[in-house]
Amino acid sequence: MEIPYTVEPRPDTGLANGKLGIWLFLASEVMLFGALFSTYILLRVGAVEWPHGELSVKLGAINTVILICSSVTMVVAWAKLKLNDFAKGRVYVLITVLLAAVFLVNKYFEYAEHLEKGEGPWHSTFFAIYYTLTGLHGLHIVGGIIVMLYLAGPGAGLWKRNPEQFANRVEYTGLYWHFVDLVWIFLFPVLYLL
Amino acid sequence: MHSDPEAIRKSIRTYGIIGGLLLVFTAITVAVNQVHLAVPLAITVALIIAATKGSMVASVFMHLSHEKKWIYGALLLTVVFFVVLLFLPLLTVSDTIGTSLHH
Protein backbone atom coordinates (compact mmCIF):
# COMPACT_ATOMS: atom_id res chain seq x y z
CA MET A 1 0.00 0.00 0.00
CA GLU A 2 1.34 3.41 -0.93
CA ILE A 3 1.32 6.09 1.76
CA PRO A 4 -0.52 9.13 0.39
CA TYR A 5 0.66 12.76 0.46
CA THR A 6 4.38 12.09 0.96
CA VAL A 7 5.20 14.46 -1.90
CA GLU A 8 2.02 16.06 -3.19
CA PRO A 9 0.25 18.38 -0.72
CA ARG A 10 -3.01 17.37 0.92
CA PRO A 11 -5.90 19.39 -0.52
CA ASP A 12 -7.13 20.48 2.93
CA THR A 13 -3.84 21.54 4.58
CA GLY A 14 -1.87 22.42 1.45
CA LEU A 15 1.05 20.50 2.99
CA ALA A 16 2.64 17.08 2.58
CA ASN A 17 1.89 14.98 5.69
CA GLY A 18 5.53 14.80 6.74
CA LYS A 19 5.85 18.57 6.86
CA LEU A 20 2.88 19.03 9.21
CA GLY A 21 4.05 16.00 11.19
CA ILE A 22 7.55 17.36 11.83
CA TRP A 23 6.16 20.77 12.87
CA LEU A 24 3.77 19.12 15.36
CA PHE A 25 6.72 17.12 16.69
CA LEU A 26 8.75 20.33 17.04
CA ALA A 27 5.80 21.91 18.89
CA SER A 28 6.02 19.09 21.45
CA GLU A 29 9.78 19.67 21.66
CA VAL A 30 9.17 23.36 22.43
CA MET A 31 7.04 22.24 25.40
CA LEU A 32 9.74 19.78 26.55
CA PHE A 33 12.54 22.35 26.54
CA GLY A 34 10.09 25.03 27.71
CA ALA A 35 9.37 23.00 30.87
CA LEU A 36 13.11 22.81 31.57
CA PHE A 37 13.68 26.53 30.88
CA SER A 38 10.77 27.26 33.22
CA THR A 39 12.43 25.04 35.85
CA TYR A 40 15.71 26.92 35.34
CA ILE A 41 14.00 30.29 35.92
CA LEU A 42 12.24 28.99 39.05
CA LEU A 43 15.50 27.58 40.46
CA ARG A 44 17.48 30.71 39.64
CA VAL A 45 14.92 33.19 40.99
CA GLY A 46 14.56 31.13 44.18
CA ALA A 47 18.31 30.75 44.76
CA VAL A 48 20.04 32.87 47.42
CA GLU A 49 23.06 33.15 45.13
CA TRP A 50 23.76 31.85 41.64
CA PRO A 51 27.25 30.89 40.45
CA HIS A 52 28.80 32.94 37.65
CA GLY A 53 31.71 32.05 35.39
CA GLU A 54 31.63 28.32 36.17
CA LEU A 55 31.64 27.31 32.50
CA SER A 56 34.15 27.98 29.73
CA VAL A 57 32.72 30.77 27.53
CA LYS A 58 35.34 29.89 24.89
CA LEU A 59 34.12 26.28 24.56
CA GLY A 60 30.48 27.39 24.59
CA ALA A 61 31.12 30.01 21.90
CA ILE A 62 33.03 27.51 19.74
CA ASN A 63 30.11 25.08 19.99
CA THR A 64 27.70 27.89 19.02
CA VAL A 65 29.79 28.62 15.91
CA ILE A 66 29.86 24.88 15.07
CA LEU A 67 26.07 24.53 15.32
CA ILE A 68 25.42 27.68 13.27
CA CYS A 69 27.74 26.37 10.52
CA SER A 70 25.98 22.98 10.65
CA SER A 71 22.61 24.68 10.19
CA VAL A 72 23.95 26.41 7.07
CA THR A 73 25.35 23.15 5.62
CA MET A 74 22.06 21.33 6.33
CA VAL A 75 19.88 23.89 4.56
CA VAL A 76 22.37 24.02 1.64
CA ALA A 77 22.17 20.18 1.42
CA TRP A 78 18.41 20.47 0.89
CA ALA A 79 18.87 23.27 -1.67
CA LYS A 80 21.40 21.18 -3.63
CA LEU A 81 18.93 18.28 -3.75
CA LYS A 82 16.24 20.65 -5.04
CA LEU A 83 18.74 21.57 -7.76
CA ASN A 84 18.99 17.84 -8.60
CA ASP A 85 22.60 17.66 -7.38
CA PHE A 86 22.51 14.50 -5.26
CA ALA A 87 26.31 14.18 -4.86
CA LYS A 88 26.71 17.67 -3.38
CA GLY A 89 23.55 17.28 -1.30
CA ARG A 90 24.97 14.14 0.29
CA VAL A 91 28.37 15.80 0.89
CA TYR A 92 26.66 18.69 2.73
CA VAL A 93 24.66 16.23 4.87
CA LEU A 94 27.94 14.46 5.76
CA ILE A 95 29.63 17.80 6.60
CA THR A 96 26.68 18.48 8.94
CA VAL A 97 27.26 15.08 10.60
CA LEU A 98 30.97 15.90 10.98
CA LEU A 99 30.19 19.28 12.60
CA ALA A 100 27.68 17.60 14.93
CA ALA A 101 30.34 15.05 15.94
CA VAL A 102 32.85 17.86 16.66
CA PHE A 103 30.19 19.51 18.85
CA LEU A 104 29.83 16.30 20.87
CA VAL A 105 33.61 15.85 21.21
CA ASN A 106 33.83 19.42 22.49
CA LYS A 107 31.03 18.69 24.96
CA TYR A 108 32.81 15.51 26.10
CA PHE A 109 35.94 17.48 26.99
CA GLU A 110 33.84 20.07 28.79
CA TYR A 111 31.98 17.43 30.83
CA ALA A 112 35.24 15.56 31.58
CA GLU A 113 36.92 18.74 32.87
CA HIS A 114 34.05 19.45 35.29
CA LEU A 115 33.66 15.84 36.43
CA GLU A 116 37.40 15.69 37.18
CA LYS A 117 36.90 18.60 39.57
CA GLY A 118 33.96 16.78 41.18
CA GLU A 119 31.45 19.11 39.53
CA GLY A 120 28.84 16.52 38.61
CA PRO A 121 25.06 17.05 38.64
CA TRP A 122 25.12 16.38 42.43
CA HIS A 123 27.53 19.29 43.04
CA SER A 124 25.00 22.14 43.02
CA THR A 125 21.60 23.22 41.69
CA PHE A 126 23.40 25.07 38.88
CA PHE A 127 25.25 21.95 37.71
CA ALA A 128 22.10 19.82 38.09
CA ILE A 129 20.16 22.02 35.65
CA TYR A 130 23.26 22.48 33.44
CA TYR A 131 23.69 18.72 32.92
CA THR A 132 19.93 18.20 32.48
CA LEU A 133 19.58 20.90 29.79
CA THR A 134 22.83 20.22 27.91
CA GLY A 135 22.47 16.43 28.31
CA LEU A 136 18.99 16.46 26.76
CA HIS A 137 20.26 18.77 24.02
CA GLY A 138 23.21 16.41 23.43
CA LEU A 139 20.81 13.47 23.04
CA HIS A 140 19.02 15.47 20.35
CA ILE A 141 22.37 15.95 18.57
CA VAL A 142 22.94 12.16 18.69
CA GLY A 143 19.42 11.59 17.29
CA GLY A 144 20.11 14.03 14.45
CA ILE A 145 23.41 12.31 13.61
CA ILE A 146 21.68 8.90 13.39
CA VAL A 147 18.98 10.21 11.03
CA MET A 148 21.49 12.09 8.84
CA LEU A 149 23.78 9.04 8.60
CA TYR A 150 20.75 7.00 7.53
CA LEU A 151 19.87 9.58 4.85
CA ALA A 152 23.45 9.72 3.54
CA GLY A 153 23.86 5.92 3.74
CA PRO A 154 21.18 3.21 3.48
CA GLY A 155 18.32 5.70 3.06
CA ALA A 156 19.96 7.36 0.04
CA GLY A 157 18.51 4.70 -2.28
CA LEU A 158 15.19 6.56 -2.18
CA TRP A 159 16.77 9.31 -4.31
CA LYS A 160 16.73 6.97 -7.35
CA ARG A 161 13.12 5.88 -6.80
CA ASN A 162 11.61 9.18 -5.68
CA PRO A 163 13.97 12.17 -5.55
CA GLU A 164 11.25 14.59 -4.44
CA GLN A 165 10.38 12.43 -1.42
CA PHE A 166 14.07 12.11 -0.55
CA ALA A 167 14.51 15.91 -0.70
CA ASN A 168 11.47 16.23 1.57
CA ARG A 169 13.04 13.87 4.12
CA VAL A 170 16.21 15.96 4.12
CA GLU A 171 14.09 19.09 4.55
CA TYR A 172 12.24 17.62 7.57
CA THR A 173 15.52 16.46 9.13
CA GLY A 174 16.83 19.98 8.50
CA LEU A 175 13.84 21.52 10.32
CA TYR A 176 14.64 19.31 13.32
CA TRP A 177 18.31 20.22 13.09
CA HIS A 178 17.63 23.97 12.98
CA PHE A 179 15.43 23.56 16.06
CA VAL A 180 18.34 21.87 17.87
CA ASP A 181 20.52 24.84 16.82
CA LEU A 182 17.82 27.27 18.01
CA VAL A 183 17.69 25.65 21.46
CA TRP A 184 21.48 26.00 21.76
CA ILE A 185 21.27 29.68 20.75
CA PHE A 186 19.27 30.22 23.98
CA LEU A 187 21.21 27.72 26.12
CA PHE A 188 24.56 29.42 25.43
CA PRO A 189 23.79 32.85 26.97
CA VAL A 190 21.54 31.42 29.70
CA LEU A 191 24.10 28.90 31.02
CA TYR A 192 27.49 30.29 29.99
CA LEU A 193 27.13 34.06 30.16
CA LEU A 194 24.40 35.10 32.61
CA MET B 1 8.71 26.84 -1.05
CA HIS B 2 10.88 27.67 -4.05
CA SER B 3 11.06 25.20 -6.94
CA ASP B 4 12.56 27.56 -9.52
CA PRO B 5 16.33 26.74 -9.81
CA GLU B 6 17.33 30.41 -9.99
CA ALA B 7 15.34 31.20 -6.82
CA ILE B 8 17.02 28.26 -5.04
CA ARG B 9 20.50 29.45 -6.10
CA LYS B 10 19.63 32.89 -4.77
CA SER B 11 18.41 31.39 -1.49
CA ILE B 12 21.76 29.55 -1.05
CA ARG B 13 23.46 32.97 -1.05
CA THR B 14 20.90 34.17 1.52
CA TYR B 15 21.67 31.16 3.75
CA GLY B 16 25.38 32.08 3.64
CA ILE B 17 24.68 35.71 4.54
CA ILE B 18 22.36 34.75 7.41
CA GLY B 19 24.96 32.23 8.67
CA GLY B 20 27.57 35.04 8.65
CA LEU B 21 25.22 37.39 10.52
CA LEU B 22 24.53 34.71 13.14
CA LEU B 23 28.29 34.39 13.72
CA VAL B 24 28.59 38.18 14.07
CA PHE B 25 25.75 38.22 16.63
CA THR B 26 27.49 35.41 18.55
CA ALA B 27 30.67 37.52 18.66
CA ILE B 28 28.62 40.51 19.89
CA THR B 29 27.03 38.36 22.64
CA VAL B 30 30.48 37.29 23.89
CA ALA B 31 31.87 40.86 23.59
CA VAL B 32 28.97 42.33 25.57
CA ASN B 33 29.63 39.73 28.26
CA GLN B 34 33.20 41.05 28.67
CA VAL B 35 31.85 44.56 29.47
CA HIS B 36 30.35 43.35 32.81
CA LEU B 37 27.01 45.14 32.66
CA ALA B 38 24.58 45.15 35.58
CA VAL B 39 22.82 41.75 35.80
CA PRO B 40 19.31 42.89 34.69
CA LEU B 41 20.78 44.78 31.71
CA ALA B 42 23.11 41.89 30.79
CA ILE B 43 20.15 39.44 30.84
CA THR B 44 18.03 41.79 28.71
CA VAL B 45 20.79 42.36 26.11
CA ALA B 46 21.74 38.66 25.90
CA LEU B 47 18.12 37.55 25.50
CA ILE B 48 17.37 40.23 22.87
CA ILE B 49 20.38 39.05 20.81
CA ALA B 50 19.38 35.37 21.30
CA ALA B 51 15.79 36.14 20.23
CA THR B 52 17.07 37.98 17.13
CA LYS B 53 19.30 35.03 16.21
CA GLY B 54 16.46 32.59 16.88
CA SER B 55 14.04 34.47 14.66
CA MET B 56 16.65 34.54 11.85
CA VAL B 57 17.08 30.76 12.07
CA ALA B 58 13.30 30.20 12.18
CA SER B 59 12.36 32.60 9.38
CA VAL B 60 15.18 31.82 6.90
CA PHE B 61 16.59 28.34 7.60
CA MET B 62 13.22 26.89 8.65
CA HIS B 63 11.41 28.84 5.90
CA LEU B 64 8.85 30.26 8.34
CA SER B 65 8.81 33.56 6.45
CA HIS B 66 6.70 31.89 3.76
CA GLU B 67 4.84 28.91 5.22
CA LYS B 68 1.28 27.63 5.04
CA LYS B 69 -1.36 28.83 7.52
CA TRP B 70 -1.67 25.39 9.17
CA ILE B 71 1.91 25.64 10.37
CA TYR B 72 1.42 29.20 11.63
CA GLY B 73 -1.73 27.98 13.45
CA ALA B 74 0.15 25.10 15.11
CA LEU B 75 2.94 27.47 16.14
CA LEU B 76 0.53 30.05 17.52
CA LEU B 77 -1.00 27.39 19.77
CA THR B 78 2.52 26.34 20.80
CA VAL B 79 3.42 29.93 21.75
CA VAL B 80 0.25 30.24 23.87
CA PHE B 81 0.97 26.99 25.74
CA PHE B 82 4.67 27.86 26.04
CA VAL B 83 3.87 31.20 27.74
CA VAL B 84 1.42 29.43 30.10
CA LEU B 85 4.15 26.87 30.85
CA LEU B 86 6.72 29.57 31.65
CA PHE B 87 4.37 31.26 34.11
CA LEU B 88 2.98 28.04 35.62
CA PRO B 89 5.53 28.02 38.48
CA LEU B 90 4.18 31.42 39.58
CA LEU B 91 0.97 29.63 40.61
CA THR B 92 2.93 27.99 43.42
CA VAL B 93 3.09 31.44 45.05
CA SER B 94 -0.68 31.58 45.37
CA ASP B 95 -0.95 27.94 46.41
CA THR B 96 -2.19 27.96 50.01
CA ILE B 97 -3.17 24.29 50.30
CA GLY B 98 -1.64 22.79 53.42
CA THR B 99 -0.76 26.15 54.96
CA SER B 100 -2.38 27.58 58.06
CA LEU B 101 -5.20 30.09 57.60
CA HIS B 102 -4.16 32.06 60.68
CA HIS B 103 -0.59 33.25 61.05
Side-chain angles (χ1 to χ4, degrees):
Chain A
M1 193 187 93
E2 198 178 314
I3 301 171
Y5 308 116
T6 52
V7 173
E8 76 280 15
R10 273 177 71 106
D12 48 1
T13 61
L15 295 158
N17 282 347
K19 182 77 161 279
L20 189 57
I22 191 73
W23 274 109
L24 290 176
F25 170 69
L26 292 182
S28 74
E29 290 278 275
V30 168
M31 299 311 283
L32 174 65
F33 279 100
L36 288 170
F37 272 110
S38 181
T39 307
Y40 168 86
I41 294 168
L42 188 69
L43 290 173
R44 180 155 183 176
V45 170
V48 179
E49 56 180 309
W50 195 256
H52 187 78
E54 297 280 327
L55 306 173
S56 163
V57 174
K58 191 177 151 191
L59 274 181
I62 290 171
N63 264 351
T64 309
V65 170
I66 289 169
L67 275 195
I68 289 170
C69 292
S70 75
S71 253
V72 175
T73 53
M74 194 62 199
V75 76
V76 171
W78 165 79
K80 291 290 176 191
L81 291 174
K82 293 299 267 186
L83 289 170
N84 260 327
D85 192 342
F86 172 72
K88 277 192 183 157
R90 179 144 81 168
V91 166
Y92 276 106
V93 169
L94 289 172
I95 293 172
T96 311
V97 171
L98 185 71
L99 289 166
V102 174
F103 177 95
L104 286 180
V105 170
N106 225 345
K107 206 85 210 115
Y108 166 79
F109 283 120
E110 200 181 349
Y111 278 176
E113 193 188 319
H114 288 293
L115 290 172
E116 231 169 63
K117 289 191 273 182
E119 294 170 342
W122 56 85
H123 181 265
S124 62
T125 308
F126 170 76
F127 276 105
I129 194 75
Y130 161 73
Y131 282 105
T132 307
L133 279 165
T134 57
L136 183 67
H137 180 264
L139 283 177
H140 279 75
I141 299 270
V142 173
I145 289 176
I146 292 169
V147 175
M148 285 186 275
L149 282 177
Y150 170 76
L151 288 173
L158 180 65
W159 174 260
K160 283 186 188 141
R161 299 193 303 276
N162 193 339
E164 195 67 27
Q165 192 182 356
F166 183 77
N168 281 355
R169 284 185 179 179
V170 171
E171 185 192 1
Y172 306 152
T173 310
L175 288 173
Y176 167 81
W177 193 251
H178 303 314
F179 174 79
V180 172
D181 179 24
L182 217 154
V183 169
W184 183 260
I185 281 173
F186 283 94
L187 281 182
F188 173 56
V190 164
L191 294 173
Y192 289 77
L193 303 177
L194 300 177
Chain B
M1 198 62 52
H2 305 299
S3 48
D4 164 39
E6 196 41 50
I8 292 172
R9 277 189 203 98
K10 211 183 262 181
S11 63
I12 290 177
R13 278 194 291 277
T14 309
Y15 300 145
I17 292 166
I18 294 297
L21 282 174
L22 287 169
L23 295 180
V24 170
F25 277 119
T26 303
I28 292 172
T29 311
V30 176
V32 168
N33 184 248
Q34 308 296 317
V35 181
H36 300 298
L37 299 169
V39 174
L41 184 62
I43 291 176
T44 309
V45 171
L47 290 184
I48 286 174
I49 297 175
T52 308
K53 287 166 72 180
S55 59
M56 285 161 80
V57 169
S59 61
V60 181
F61 292 165
M62 299 172 91
H63 306 128
L64 270 186
S65 55
H66 46 274
E67 261 306 349
K68 296 282 190 299
K69 63 177 182 187
W70 272 78
I71 287 174
Y72 292 135
L75 287 178
L76 186 68
L77 265 182
T78 310
V79 169
V80 171
F81 282 110
F82 180 71
V83 171
V84 171
L85 186 70
L86 279 183
F87 287 97
L88 207 56
L90 283 181
L91 292 179
T92 58
V93 177
S94 55
D95 181 10
T96 54
I97 296 172
T99 59
S100 168
L101 289 174
H102 306 288
H103 294 288

